[in-house]
Amino acid sequence: ALALYKDFKQKFPGVSWPEGSENTIFLDPDVAFGSTAVLSPSVIIKGTSWIGEKCVLEPNCFISASRIGAFCTIAGRVEKSSIGGHSRTHSNCCLINSTCGQYCDLKGEIENSRLGRNVETYASCIMHDSSCGDHCQLGAHINRTRMGHRVNAKYGNINLLDATIGNDVNIAAGVTTLNFDGAEKKKTVIGDGTFVGGNVAI
């Protein structure tokens, strides 16, 4: 806990926390900070982690072996991940072994995935082994899928499995991409500029 680090304020003079919360905050010795940061009660940071300048770590957040860019607000769970500056993770976010660019706003479960800049994920988002470009809005269940820029798949009853999706694609509620045509497994390919209507299986 912070109380164990007698020289903490000397080592990181710009890091602050609410008075009386020292015994609820845990920092591994390998944690490093930029110039200033605000720690809330019950924050845990483990492993070799970097917290950029002017970050705010919200109550009960857990960070392990991760790099957080400057001006971020972090809640939820972040493990073995990298977050670009000016981003936010919410209390219902679990980000594991993943990266995102700057200005992202993340909820849901994201694992083994790569996200671009200005990506918003909703609480319904479950994204595994996938990637997306910039300016995407995602709430779907996404597995082994590669997406370009400006993909809108923000409804929780969208299921994207083994798909390749281009740029400027809008996917309506109820869409499912399949990876088996009755004879063999194949990826679904959705080209640039496509609108996929609701309640379709492709």
Side-chain angles (χ1 to χ4, degrees), residues 44-183:
I44 297 174
I45 312 177
K46 299 182 69 176
T48 303
S49 294
W50 167 260
I51 311 300
E53 64 176 322
K54 296 188 178 179
C55 285
V56 176
L57 307 186
E58 297 194 333
N60 303 304
C61 84
F62 177 89
I63 299 170
S64 176
S66 295
R67 185 174 185 88
I68 312 299
F71 300 96
C72 289
T73 300
I74 303 298
R77 191 173 191 92
V78 179
E79 297 184 55
K80 298 179 181 177
S81 295
S82 177
I83 298 176
H86 301 272
S87 294
R88 179 180 180 88
T89 64
H90 294 261
S91 59
N92 57 355
C93 178
C94 182
L95 187 73
I96 300 175
N97 195 32
S98 297
T99 64
C100 72
Q102 296 179 323
Y103 299 100
C104 290
D105 191 306
L106 304 181
K107 307 179 186 75
E109 178 184 310
I110 303 164
E111 187 169 354
N112 298 323
S113 296
R114 303 291 176 263
L115 287 67
R117 293 164 50 98
N118 290 97
V119 173
E120 182 178 5
T121 62
Y122 295 83
S124 56
C125 183
I126 300 175
M127 185 174 183
H128 291 174
D129 304 304
S130 298
S131 66
C132 73
D134 303 335
H135 300 282
C136 294
Q137 293 182 304
L138 306 174
H141 292 189
I142 304 163
N143 203 343
R144 299 192 302 275
T145 292
R146 186 177 68 185
M147 294 168 281
H149 305 300
R150 297 173 299 280
V151 174
N152 185 332
K154 62 185 179 181
Y155 300 105
N157 56 347
I158 298 172
N159 296 281
L160 304 176
L161 172 64
D162 282 331
T164 299
I165 299 171
N167 302 316
D168 302 298
V169 173
N170 193 345
I171 300 175
V175 171
T176 296
T177 64
L178 308 174
N179 66 347
F180 186 62
D181 64 3

